[in-house]
Amino acid sequence: AVLLEVNNLSVSYPEFTLHPVSFALDAGEMLTIVGESGSGKTTLARAIACLSEPEAQVSGQVYLNGRELLAMDERARRPLRMKEFALSFQNSAEWLNPSLTLAEHLREVLCRAYRGEALARRARELMALVGLETADLERYPRELSGGMVQKFLLANALALNPALVLLDEPTGALDLASSQGITALIRDLNRKLGTAFLIITHDLKLASDLAERMVVLYDGHVEEAGDTRAILDNPRHPYTRGLLQSAVGLNPVRDMWGIRPTTVAYTREPHGCPFYGRCTQSLPECASRAPELERLPDGRQLSCNRGGILTLLSCRNLSKSFGDHLVLDDLSEHIYPGEKVVVIGPSGSGKSTFLRCLNLLETPTAGTITFNGVEVTNTKTNI
């Protein structure tokens, strides 16, 4: 059953716009919103929670269990927070009152549904649930490690058994070991409690470990959305590919090929593709024409004027013989815009012949060569 439905949710500030975002989250599901800093992830989370800054202009609909939150009066919305949905923002540790113990923090939430010994018992249950000790209830926030703070924030968010928890960068300030512990904890809580999690993160490793679906944001635009595993295995937007290539948890080399430094100023009037200045396959018209987010036949959503990542140059089953001497035998290769490919091998292995065939300086004995989607194997025009 659909728990959260976001329809054309848009947020405008004088210097930033989150363009319409739509998605649905089922009960018990985990969904990640990924993107670099400044992409609009936190703006989206705040809008869903109806906690946008006063100067923000918010439009669209946010349905929670069929009730439209944005249309509600704040007095009607307030009782739903923590009971039906809860949230933990980035740097939430700064929101903890340094003069209150963890027990006092929990009491402020639990008093809405518990009294006396039932309240104390629930506090102990929550601490055990997230892997903290009962004795930690008497500690102050300053006495906790980063990992302990994040565990407590999870306990606080789960205090009243909400069906949905929004987490903004839950591992952003943690070391690797603590991050892995929080990831495992979120997965365990989802399995034990059936809680749905909407996770805001720049960490592709976290997204790959937790969520079945992801939404990729860039400069306030949804660039790609779909099944997490499918996106990680086969990204279709140039930005998604660059984001994956630069993700340390997934790619230790951290190579950002496919994303160039911004060389062209991005102009919002007329509104063009936000990735235009950094894209290796952009066309001049991309500067003035913003692509539509389209749903592909397999369910993937993609926003690209060129239909996603192109194959710049490819060869299939390429062979080359000089008389009876076979130099190249059934080679296939694909080269994408912005990619660097190195051909290595000892002298006489066929490197130069391979490059000469790709440049149409030699005619292959068999196979095809395609450039920008056009087969050029038998053409005499240089590419």
Side-chain angles (χ1 to χ4, degrees):
V2 174
L3 174 65
L4 176 71
E5 185 177 353
V6 176
N7 290 331
N8 294 316
L9 184 60
S10 178
V11 184
S12 294
Y13 292 96
E15 298 300 325
F16 179 79
T17 298
L18 175 68
H19 293 265
V21 177
S22 299
F23 63 87
L25 179 67
D26 289 342
E29 187 184 9
M30 291 196 283
L31 172 72
T32 53
I33 310 293
V34 301
E36 60 192 271
S37 297
S39 61
K41 304 187 303 296
T42 298
T43 297
L44 175 61
R46 286 185 175 277
I48 292 171
C50 303
L51 291 174
S52 299
E53 287 80 355
E55 67 269 22
Q57 296 181 359
V58 183
S59 62
Q61 297 85 39
V62 176
Y63 293 94
L64 182 66
N65 276 325
R67 288 172 294 184
E68 213 285 276
L69 298 181
L70 292 176
M72 284 185 181
D73 182 88
E74 178 58 25
R75 286 175 297 179
R77 218 162 30 213
R78 192 174 297 120
L80 301 181
R81 291 199 183 95
M82 304 306 288
K83 283 191 174 182
E84 296 199 23
F85 72 97
L87 56 155
S88 175
F89 285 123
Q90 189 174 9
N91 300 322
S92 287
E94 298 175 3
W95 295 48
L96 295 177
N97 190 327
S99 64
L100 297 181
T101 64
L102 303 192
E104 290 168 325
H105 278 97
L106 280 177
R107 191 174 299 121
E108 289 186 344
V109 179
L110 292 173
C111 67
R112 295 171 57 180
Y114 298 88
R115 293 289 185 274
E117 177 54 33
L119 188 152
R121 182 169 59 252
R122 178 60 177 163
R124 294 192 295 270
E125 289 174 354
L126 288 166
M127 297 296 276
L129 184 66
V130 299
L132 294 175
E133 301 294 331
T134 299
D136 293 328
L137 285 166
E138 302 310 314
R139 293 192 180 198
Y140 291 90
R142 63 179 178 274
E143 300 178 283
L144 306 180
S145 67
M148 293 175 72
V149 166
Q150 196 59 56
K151 288 181 178 180
F152 177 70
L153 292 171
L154 278 169
N156 199 57
L158 294 166
L160 301 181
N161 292 309
L164 171 66
V165 173
L166 289 77
L167 297 176
D168 188 1
E169 298 288 5
T171 60
L174 303 180
D175 58 40
L176 180 60
S178 298
S179 176
Q180 291 174 338
I182 294 300
T183 300
L185 176 59
I186 294 171
R187 190 188 302 114
D188 189 51
L189 293 171
N190 172 258
R191 186 179 66 252
K192 285 181 178 177
L193 306 178
T195 307
F197 287 94
L198 178 63
I199 302 162
I200 307 297
T201 184
H202 69 279
D203 185 350
L204 271 296
K205 182 66 167 62
L206 178 68
S208 70
D209 288 342
L210 287 180
E212 293 183 0
R213 292 189 299 124
M214 70 161 62
V215 176
V216 181
L217 276 182
Y218 179 79
D219 195 26
H221 297 72
V222 175
E223 302 288 35
E224 189 167 0
D227 179 80
T228 297
R229 190 72 263 159
I231 290 178
L232 294 179
D233 291 342
N234 181 30
R236 294 183 186 167
H237 194 282
Y239 173 65
T240 308
R241 179 184 62 185
L243 200 63
L244 293 173
Q245 292 292 333
S246 63
V248 176
L250 300 176
N251 180 21
V253 177
R254 197 176 183 182
D255 178 10
M256 288 186 67
W257 70 267
I259 295 184
R260 66 186 183 191
T262 302
T263 56
V264 180
Y266 168 53
T267 57
R268 298 179 186 274
E269 295 295 342
H271 183 57
C273 175
F275 195 57
Y276 168 67
R278 302 178 69 189
C279 185
T280 57
Q281 62 177 49
S282 59
L283 297 172
E285 52 263 38
C286 295
S288 58
R289 182 165 66 92
E292 296 289 333
L293 183 65
E294 298 181 354
R295 184 176 294 276
L296 305 180
D298 63 355
R300 183 85 61 94
Q301 290 179 280
L302 185 65
S303 178
C304 179
N305 286 328
R306 306 201 69 182
I309 296 171
L310 302 176
T311 301
L312 181 63
L313 177 65
S314 68
C315 65
R316 291 183 180 276
N317 309 116
L318 196 68
S319 297
K320 177 62 178 177
S321 298
F322 293 98
D324 294 332
H325 179 50
L326 180 64
V327 179
L328 303 177
D329 184 15
D330 200 31
L331 294 183
S332 295
E333 183 58 74
H334 306 283
I335 302 174
Y336 303 99
E339 186 178 17
K340 298 176 183 177
V341 177
V342 178
V343 180
I344 62 173
S347 297
S349 60
K351 303 186 301 297
S352 297
T353 300
F354 181 44
L355 294 181
R356 288 177 64 83
C357 285
L358 292 180
N359 279 280
L360 307 183
L361 298 175
E362 295 283 356
T363 302
T365 306
T368 60
I369 300 170
T370 303
F371 179 70
N372 262 338
V374 178
E375 186 178 338
V376 295
T377 312
N378 296 314
T379 183
K380 297 300 182 181
T381 304
N382 288 333
I383 60 174

